[in-house]
């Protein structure tokens, strides 16, 4: 039996709030359908689509199907009918007493745990939480909250207070889908299951660390959300900081959820806020027109729903430091942006050079050793070493040792949402964020946003199809780094 064989989960009720929304149709419903098709769900389980429109289960699935057809996601379409045996629908307009009653009726007598999944804008979270009964028992009630939780630390704290008034922390699953990616779990295994890398991941050996999430897409049809969010709130606040915390944390005492979260929290608390004045440690940008994959694309300000004078950042890169004994002084360079030449995400750990070079580098430039964790599109590890070139001369050239996880296991990579949903149903909290992590992440991002604002720093334009403003290259060079553009 492989790891991918279904290990069915016990009966449950899963209420998907915002079932008519983009995220639900694009990610959550296909993940549920694929799990249903793969045999994870027992017959008594119930999935309830809660949405504004009054729809029958068949109509709701037909809507999802046409959405996926338009998105060209044929693979997801194949699984959708597998949901029908479990599916119920509920018309809900949150914020009304009737909707609370309707929600309560819909789950009366249904199998427990009842999972309320908020695939909603966070401005609706409190309305939803107000409808949830006070039940402090994770075997009976669980709540799933999608990121971003609020738009700043203050809003997030208000939501958290409402949650804490009804539920215990052990019932709350705060999603960052990056933690559901197999590559992130491989990163944990690489660090904590192997002896050879961990002793090297220190300030003595590491010159710098780069974390990149590059996207080729633009804002698409999400301007309503993105105009208020921007790359700092949308990507840095959770995905980028969680990747950073995972690579920099100390080994936890166990893989139990709170051990992992304790260690990540220490990293988040020790992050240096990048300075915006003097020699800047942060660059914000906004895409202009250009070409991506050979196709002309408009500038951000010309996208549907975007203000003609918008100052929303679609790109951010910054230099930070994890101010701990292990990492003090090592630059951590973080970068994310839309409309880059291609979609890729990776973590590059650049090691220091040998103390006294005895060989000659080919090309005259030392590149040192690198450990590259490719998160997407491929899930692989690459160790860049220096090897002697054949012949008499004592010359070294970089070569790569590659470990491609797909070629190793030959099992299709499961979508992050599938992994996260099975964990929610099994009651495993390890891949979800704790309240204090989210709060610390917001404090970091709020500080940056306030500093940018108080120094009137607006995003600089960059050409679509490039890796962002040139100021970011200079910032990396000051840290002794050249941004990786591999994205293999
Ligand atoms: C989401 C952001 O959380 O992550 C999007 O809201 C972004 O703006 C997406 O495109 C990236 O996720 P992935 O899995 O495609 O890298």
């Amino acid at each position: 039996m492989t790891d991918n064989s279904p290990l069915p989960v016990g009966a449950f009720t899963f209420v998907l709030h915002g079932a008519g929304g983009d995220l639900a149709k694009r990610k959550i419903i296909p993940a549920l359908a694929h799990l249903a098709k793969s045999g994870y769900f027992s017959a008594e389980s119930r999935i309830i689509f809660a949405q504004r429109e009054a729809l029958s289960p068949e109509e709701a699935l037909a809507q999802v199907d046409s959405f996926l057809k338009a998105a060209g996601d044929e693979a997801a379409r194949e699984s959708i009918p597998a949901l029908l045996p479990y599916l119920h629908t509920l018309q809900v307009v949150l914020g009304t007493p009737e909707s609370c009653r309707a929600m309560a009726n819909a789950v009366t007598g249904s199998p427990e745990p009842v999972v309320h999944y908020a695939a909603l804008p966070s401005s609706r979270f409190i309305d939803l939480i107000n409808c949830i009964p006070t039940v402090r028992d994770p075997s009976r009630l669980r709540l799933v909250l999608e990121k971003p939780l609020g738009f700043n630390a203050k809003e997030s704290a208000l939501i958290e207070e409402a949650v804490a008034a009804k539920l215990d922390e052990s019932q709350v699953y705060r999603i960052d889908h990056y933690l559901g990616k197999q590559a992130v779990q491989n990163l944990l295994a690489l660090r904590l299951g192997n002896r050879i890398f961990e002793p090297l991941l220190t300030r003595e050996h590491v010159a710098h660390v780069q974390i990149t999430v590059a996207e080729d897409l633009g804002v698409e049809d999400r301007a309503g959300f993105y105009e208020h969010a921007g790359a700092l709130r949308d990507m840095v606040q959770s995905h980028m900081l969680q990747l950073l915390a995972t690579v920099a944390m100390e080994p936890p005492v166990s893989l139990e959820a709170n051990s992992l979260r304790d260690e990540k929290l220490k990293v988040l608390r020790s992050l240096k806020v990048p300075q915006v004045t003097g020699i800047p440690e942060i660059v914000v940008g906004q895409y202009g027109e250009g070409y991506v994959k050979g196709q002309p694309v408009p500038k951000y300000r010309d996208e549907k729903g975007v203000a003609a004078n918008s100052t929303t950042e679609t790109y951010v890169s910054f230099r930070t430091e994890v101010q701990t004994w292990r990492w003090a002084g090592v630059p951590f360079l973080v970068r994310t942006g839309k409309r880059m030449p291609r979609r890729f995400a990776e973590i590059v750990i650049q090691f220091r050079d040998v103390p006294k070079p005895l060989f000659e580098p080919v090309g005259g430039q030392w590149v040192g050793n690198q450990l590259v964790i490719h998160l997407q599109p491929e899930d692989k590890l690459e160790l860049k070493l220096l090897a002697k070139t054949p012949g008499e001369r004592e010359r070294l050239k970089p070569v790569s040792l590659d470990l491609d996880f797909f070629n190793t296991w030959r099992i299709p990579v499961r979508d992050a949402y599938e992994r996260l949903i099975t964990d929610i149903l099994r009651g495993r909290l390890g891949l979800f964020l704790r309240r204090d992590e989210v709060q610390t992440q917001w404090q970091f991002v709020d500080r940056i946003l306030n500093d940018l604002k108080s120094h009137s720093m607006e995003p600089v334009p960059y050409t679509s199809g490039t890796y962002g403003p040139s100021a970011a290259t200079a910032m990396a060079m000051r840290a002794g780094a050249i941004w990786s553009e591999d994205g293999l």
Side-chain angles (χ1 to χ4, degrees):
M1 170 157 150
T2 68
D3 228 15
N4 260 35
S5 315
L7 180 61
V9 291
F12 60 85
T13 302
F14 190 101
V15 191
L16 180 58
H17 299 274
D22 221 66
L23 174 69
K25 288 184 186 148
R26 202 158 34 90
K27 291 285 189 187
I28 305 164
I29 297 172
L32 282 168
H34 195 240
L35 290 171
K37 191 177 171 193
S38 313
Y40 280 88
F41 299 162
S42 56
E44 333 66 275
S45 297
R46 283 161 58 101
I47 295 172
I48 304 175
F49 282 4
Q51 57 199 103
R52 284 170 161 262
E53 265 183 286
L55 297 172
S56 68
E58 289 79 6
E59 287 166 338
L61 290 187
Q63 281 197 355
V64 176
D65 183 67
S66 38
F67 176 93
L68 293 170
K69 189 174 177 189
D73 195 345
E74 291 303 316
R77 285 181 75 200
E78 275 175 32
S79 307
I80 295 300
L83 273 184
L84 199 55
Y86 307 95
L87 194 60
H88 301 257
T89 48
L90 176 68
Q91 188 187 17
V92 174
V93 181
L94 281 173
T96 62
E98 302 81 65
S99 69
C100 292
R101 272 196 296 278
M103 259 171 63
N105 289 339
V107 299
T108 306
S110 251
E112 289 180 339
V114 175
V115 175
H116 286 283
Y117 191 124
L120 298 164
S122 64
S123 54
R124 311 314 311 270
F125 284 178
I126 294 191
D127 283 337
L128 171 63
I129 294 158
N130 287 342
C131 273
I132 289 178
T134 308
V135 175
R136 295 189 179 275
D137 179 354
S139 68
R140 296 190 53 210
L141 189 65
R142 297 176 197 164
L143 174 66
V144 187
L145 299 172
E146 273 286 347
K147 66 151 264 289
L149 252 107
F151 268 70
N152 50 42
K154 201 168 149 203
E155 274 185 38
S156 152
L158 286 176
I159 295 169
E160 295 291 5
E161 275 163 33
V163 172
K166 298 254 169 120
L167 305 173
D168 285 346
E169 182 61 36
S170 61
Q171 294 169 270
V172 190
Y173 294 75
R174 297 175 192 81
I175 287 210
D176 176 329
H177 77 276
Y178 266 62
L179 296 187
K181 290 185 192 270
Q182 198 162 295
V184 177
Q185 289 137 44
N186 287 337
L187 167 60
L188 278 175
L190 168 83
R191 287 201 52 201
L192 308 174
N194 294 283
R195 184 68 195 254
I196 58 173
F197 298 114
E198 201 50 27
L200 296 177
L201 298 183
T202 67
R203 62 196 303 279
E204 279 77 41
H205 303 289
V206 175
H208 65 258
V209 178
Q210 291 183 30
I211 303 175
T212 298
V213 175
E215 296 186 85
D216 52 358
L217 292 179
V219 67
E220 309 305 298
D221 48 9
R222 297 169 69 222
F225 159 75
Y226 199 83
E227 269 284 83
H228 303 288
L232 275 156
R233 292 188 178 93
D234 184 40
M235 295 297 290
V236 173
Q237 190 273 334
S238 201
H239 301 325
M240 307 306 291
L241 293 183
Q242 282 291 317
L243 290 179
L244 194 161
T246 307
V247 81
M249 72 179 183
E250 292 299 322
V253 288
S254 75
L255 290 180
E256 183 269 326
N258 278 329
S259 298
L260 280 164
R261 293 146 143 201
D262 286 346
E263 298 308 332
K264 282 191 289 162
L265 182 65
K266 285 184 209 159
V267 173
L268 297 168
R269 286 195 170 146
S270 59
L271 284 183
K272 177 179 179 294
V273 178
Q275 64 187 34
V276 306
T277 52
I279 298 171
E281 293 175 331
I282 179 160
V283 175
V284 284
Q286 187 186 73
Y287 62 81
E289 53 189 22
Y291 286 80
V292 175
K293 294 186 172 158
Q295 296 301 315
V297 291
K299 62 173 182 279
Y300 178 71
R301 288 179 175 186
D302 282 348
E303 299 272 22
K304 197 167 85 217
V306 171
N309 58 354
S310 168
T311 55
T312 300
E313 79 286 353
T314 61
Y315 168 97
V316 59
S317 57
F318 60 87
R319 171 191 178 151
T320 181
E321 212 180 275
V322 181
Q323 294 173 315
T324 60
W325 279 37
R326 184 194 275 261
W327 291 114
V330 178
F332 278 71
L333 296 162
V334 177
R335 166 179 68 156
T336 183
K338 294 202 183 283
R339 289 274 192 245
M340 313 259 99
R342 51 181 179 270
R343 174 179 184 257
F344 77 93
E346 65 179 24
I347 299 171
V348 178
I349 300 170
Q350 173 74 51
F351 292 95
R352 291 184 191 282
D353 287 340
V354 290
K356 179 178 187 311
L358 301 174
F359 294 84
E360 217 186 299
V362 170
Q365 185 90 36
W366 280 105
V367 286
N369 298 133
Q370 279 185 352
L371 177 62
V372 187
I373 299 131
H374 296 272
L375 303 169
Q376 60 192 27
E378 285 175 11
D379 179 3
K380 68 173 201 171
L381 280 179
E382 189 184 359
L383 186 57
K384 294 190 184 171
L385 303 171
L386 293 161
K388 193 181 129 15
T389 52
E392 285 183 40
R393 294 178 65 182
E394 301 295 347
R395 299 211 310 169
L396 295 190
K397 206 174 170 185
V399 290
S400 280
L401 285 182
D402 279 359
L403 170 59
D404 181 317
F405 287 103
F406 177 69
N407 286 335
T408 304
W409 308 119
R410 300 208 164 271
I411 292 173
V413 173
R414 272 172 83 193
D415 179 75
Y417 274 92
E418 286 183 40
R419 168 68 204 257
L420 294 174
I421 290 169
T422 45
D423 277 14
I424 294 163
L425 296 174
R426 295 191 205 285
R428 294 183 185 154
L429 280 158
L431 298 180
F432 301 86
L433 276 62
R434 203 168 55 194
R435 177 179 179 173
D436 45 11
E437 284 179 90
V438 177
Q439 194 65 14
T440 311
Q441 291 173 176
W442 269 125
Q443 283 159 357
F444 180 79
V445 166
D446 278 1
R447 261 293 296 284
I448 297 179
L449 284 165
N450 287 340
D451 289 354
L452 290 172
K453 197 167 163 204
S454 62
H455 292 92
S456 311
M457 263 184 69
E458 292 195 350
V460 288
Y462 61 96
T463 307
S464 282
T466 68
Y467 282 107
S470 53
T473 311
M475 185 185 71
M477 285 178 89
R478 286 194 293 275
I482 295 170
W483 288 113
S484 152
E485 292 183 359
D486 269 356
L488 293 172

